Amino acid sequence: MLGRRVLIVEDDPFITLALEETLTEFGLIVAGSARSVPQAIRLAQTVAFDVALLDVNIGQDRIDPVADIISARRIPFVFTTGCGRAGLPEAYLQRAIVEKPFYVEEILRTLREQLASDETH
């Protein structure tokens, strides 16, 4: 995963910071971080990245429009949520999910799996 670029969409600044630090430690490049859906939409449309971590609920907003953009770009993504699979956007119920609170190993394994499956398609 060295050098792979990740987009992070997370409204909790502490989780964002922890993810940025951890992913960087493991050789990933943080292509961008968003704490709101409008900001995430801009980044999803304009930034180059290989995989994304998407919190399902960003404040009062849902991540659906961001997931739609990333999906249309054919870039893999992983949902993070405390609500379980039932909280995922309807169109993406089969997507990878990491439930909060999560462990670093879990995030890294899931990102690795998404990047590997993307390379085989």
Side-chain angles (χ1 to χ4, degrees):
M1 289 198 310
L2 279 174
R4 300 308 286 269
R5 297 172 57 86
V6 62
L7 173 67
I8 300 169
V9 182
E10 168 63 58
D11 60 347
D12 183 313
F14 298 108
I15 294 175
T16 300
L17 184 61
L19 285 170
E20 288 174 347
E21 289 177 357
T22 301
L23 297 177
T24 301
E25 281 177 26
F26 283 90
L28 288 146
I29 298 166
V30 177
S33 296
R35 290 183 47 203
S36 70
V37 169
Q39 184 184 26
I41 288 171
R42 277 194 309 280
L43 291 175
Q45 291 171 330
T46 60
V47 171
F49 58 97
D50 301 301
V51 65
L53 275 173
L54 306 177
D55 186 4
V56 173
N57 296 302
I58 304 297
Q60 300 300 312
D61 297 323
R62 300 261 308 159
I63 198 68
D64 304 43
V66 180
D68 292 342
I69 292 164
I70 296 172
S71 181
R73 290 183 64 184
R74 299 188 180 282
I75 298 173
F77 58 88
V78 175
F79 288 115
T80 62
T81 182
C83 302
R85 192 161 291 280
L88 295 183
E90 192 70 31
Y92 302 106
L93 291 175
Q94 300 309 312
R95 287 286 180 154
I97 180 176
V98 177
E99 292 195 49
K100 295 178 182 177
F102 44 70
Y103 296 99
V104 172
E105 299 80 17
E106 196 177 5
I107 291 279
L108 293 171
R109 178 181 45 76
T110 307
L111 288 174
R112 195 175 295 114
E113 288 169 359
Q114 293 308 299
L115 287 165
S117 71
D118 185 54
E119 289 169 359
T120 60
H121 288 104

